[in-house]
Protein backbone atom coordinates (compact mmCIF):
# COMPACT_ATOMS: atom_id res chain seq x y z
CA UNK A 1 0.00 0.00 0.00
CA UNK A 2 1.14 3.56 -0.79
CA UNK A 3 0.34 6.67 1.19
CA UNK A 4 0.39 10.03 -0.67
CA UNK A 5 0.93 12.96 1.73
CA UNK A 6 0.42 16.61 0.86
CA UNK A 7 0.21 19.80 2.96
CA UNK A 8 -1.27 23.25 2.43
CA UNK A 9 -1.52 26.29 4.69
CA UNK A 10 -4.10 29.03 4.90
CA UNK A 11 -5.06 31.91 7.15
CA UNK A 12 -7.44 31.27 10.04
CA UNK A 13 -10.02 33.35 8.16
CA UNK A 14 -9.74 31.19 5.00
CA UNK A 15 -9.57 27.84 6.79
CA UNK A 16 -13.35 27.23 6.74
CA UNK A 17 -13.42 28.09 3.01
CA UNK A 18 -10.59 25.68 2.22
CA UNK A 19 -12.14 22.96 4.37
CA UNK A 20 -15.45 23.34 2.53
CA UNK A 21 -13.71 23.18 -0.87
CA UNK A 22 -11.64 20.10 -0.03
CA UNK A 23 -14.45 18.17 1.68
CA UNK A 24 -17.31 19.06 -0.65
CA UNK A 25 -15.63 19.51 -4.04
CA UNK A 26 -12.07 18.16 -4.25
CA UNK A 27 -12.62 14.82 -2.51
CA UNK A 28 -15.95 14.03 -4.25
CA UNK A 29 -14.27 14.92 -7.56
CA UNK A 30 -11.42 12.51 -6.91
CA UNK A 31 -13.82 9.79 -5.76
CA UNK A 32 -15.88 10.26 -8.93
CA UNK A 33 -12.79 9.44 -11.00
CA UNK A 34 -13.11 5.80 -9.83
CA UNK A 35 -9.33 5.32 -9.86
CA UNK A 36 -8.43 1.62 -9.70
CA UNK A 37 -6.60 0.95 -6.42
CA UNK A 38 -7.63 4.22 -4.75
CA UNK A 39 -8.87 3.55 -1.22
CA UNK A 40 -9.73 6.86 0.47
CA UNK A 41 -8.53 10.28 1.61
CA UNK A 42 -8.00 11.46 5.18
CA UNK A 43 -7.81 15.19 5.95
CA UNK A 44 -5.98 16.49 9.00
CA UNK A 45 -6.13 20.07 10.30
CA UNK A 46 -3.80 21.79 12.77
CA UNK A 47 -4.12 25.39 13.92
CA UNK A 48 -0.92 27.34 14.46
CA UNK A 49 -0.65 30.85 15.88
CA UNK A 50 -1.09 32.68 12.55
CA UNK A 51 -2.03 29.96 10.06
CA UNK A 52 -3.88 26.68 9.68
CA UNK A 53 -2.15 23.62 8.23
CA UNK A 54 -4.10 21.00 6.29
CA UNK A 55 -2.64 17.61 5.49
CA UNK A 56 -4.23 15.19 3.07
CA UNK A 57 -3.33 11.53 3.15
CA UNK A 58 -4.46 9.49 0.18
CA UNK A 59 -4.33 5.71 0.33
CA UNK A 60 -3.62 3.63 -2.78
CA UNK A 61 -3.01 -0.07 -3.39
CA UNK A 62 0.19 0.61 -5.35
CA UNK A 63 2.36 3.22 -7.04
CA UNK A 64 0.70 2.21 -10.31
CA UNK A 65 -2.62 3.38 -8.80
CA UNK A 66 -1.06 6.75 -7.92
CA UNK A 67 0.15 7.05 -11.51
CA UNK A 68 -3.40 6.27 -12.71
CA UNK A 69 -4.46 9.29 -10.67
CA UNK A 70 -1.64 11.74 -11.53
CA UNK A 71 0.18 10.34 -14.55
CA UNK A 72 3.89 9.63 -14.92
CA UNK A 73 4.87 12.82 -13.05
CA UNK A 74 2.94 11.46 -10.07
CA UNK A 75 4.65 13.57 -7.40
CA UNK A 76 3.13 16.84 -8.67
CA UNK A 77 0.44 18.25 -6.38
CA UNK A 78 -3.23 18.07 -7.32
CA UNK A 79 -4.57 21.46 -6.16
CA UNK A 80 -7.52 22.85 -8.13
CA UNK A 81 -7.49 26.64 -8.77
CA UNK A 82 -10.39 27.21 -6.37
CA UNK A 83 -8.37 25.65 -3.54
CA UNK A 84 -5.19 27.51 -4.54
CA UNK A 85 -7.10 30.79 -4.26
CA UNK A 86 -7.60 30.38 -0.49
CA UNK A 87 -4.26 28.78 0.37
CA UNK A 88 -1.31 30.93 1.49
CA UNK A 89 1.16 28.27 0.37
CA UNK A 90 1.23 24.57 -0.40
CA UNK A 91 3.57 21.71 -1.22
CA UNK A 92 4.31 21.71 -4.94
CA UNK A 93 4.89 17.97 -4.78
CA UNK A 94 3.39 15.22 -2.67
CA UNK A 95 5.44 12.68 -0.73
CA UNK A 96 4.82 8.96 -1.20
CA UNK A 97 5.48 6.33 1.45
CA UNK A 98 5.21 2.57 1.46
CA UNK A 99 3.16 1.30 4.37
CA UNK A 100 5.06 -1.01 6.72
CA UNK A 101 2.76 -3.48 8.42
CA UNK A 102 4.40 -5.45 11.20
CA UNK A 103 1.49 -7.92 11.20
CA UNK A 104 2.59 -9.20 7.77
CA UNK A 105 6.08 -10.17 8.99
Amino acid sequence: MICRIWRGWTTPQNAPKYQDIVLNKVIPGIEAMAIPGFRHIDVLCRAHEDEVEFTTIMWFDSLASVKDFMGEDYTVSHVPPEAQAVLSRFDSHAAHHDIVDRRSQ
Side-chain angles (χ1 to χ4, degrees):
M1 185 168 292
I2 298 290
C3 177
R4 176 182 169 93
I5 302 171
W6 173 90
R7 295 176 308 155
W9 295 262
T10 188
T11 64
Q13 297 80 13
N14 281 338
K17 293 176 195 170
Y18 177 75
Q19 184 171 317
D20 179 61
I21 291 166
V22 77
L23 294 179
N24 296 309
K25 296 180 182 176
V26 175
I27 291 174
I30 292 170
E31 291 172 338
M33 296 169 72
I35 305 155
F38 167 70
R39 298 289 183 106
H40 68 277
I41 302 175
D42 293 313
V43 179
L44 309 175
C45 179
R46 180 169 63 157
H48 297 280
E49 191 170 308
D50 59 347
E51 64 183 356
V52 178
E53 175 185 356
F54 286 90
T55 303
T56 59
I57 304 171
M58 298 180 73
W59 302 90
F60 292 90
D61 286 342
S62 65
L63 190 55
S65 299
V66 177
K67 289 179 179 181
D68 286 342
F69 170 53
M70 290 302 299
E72 284 302 311
D73 193 5
Y74 65 91
T75 66
V76 171
S77 295
H78 174 76
V79 187
E82 185 177 13
Q84 289 183 33
V86 296
L87 291 169
S88 306
R89 59 191 171 97
F90 57 88
D91 292 340
S92 62
H93 290 78
H96 297 82
H97 299 266
D98 291 318
I99 304 303
V100 178
D101 184 354
R102 67 180 178 85
R103 294 170 292 179
S104 64
Q105 295 179 350

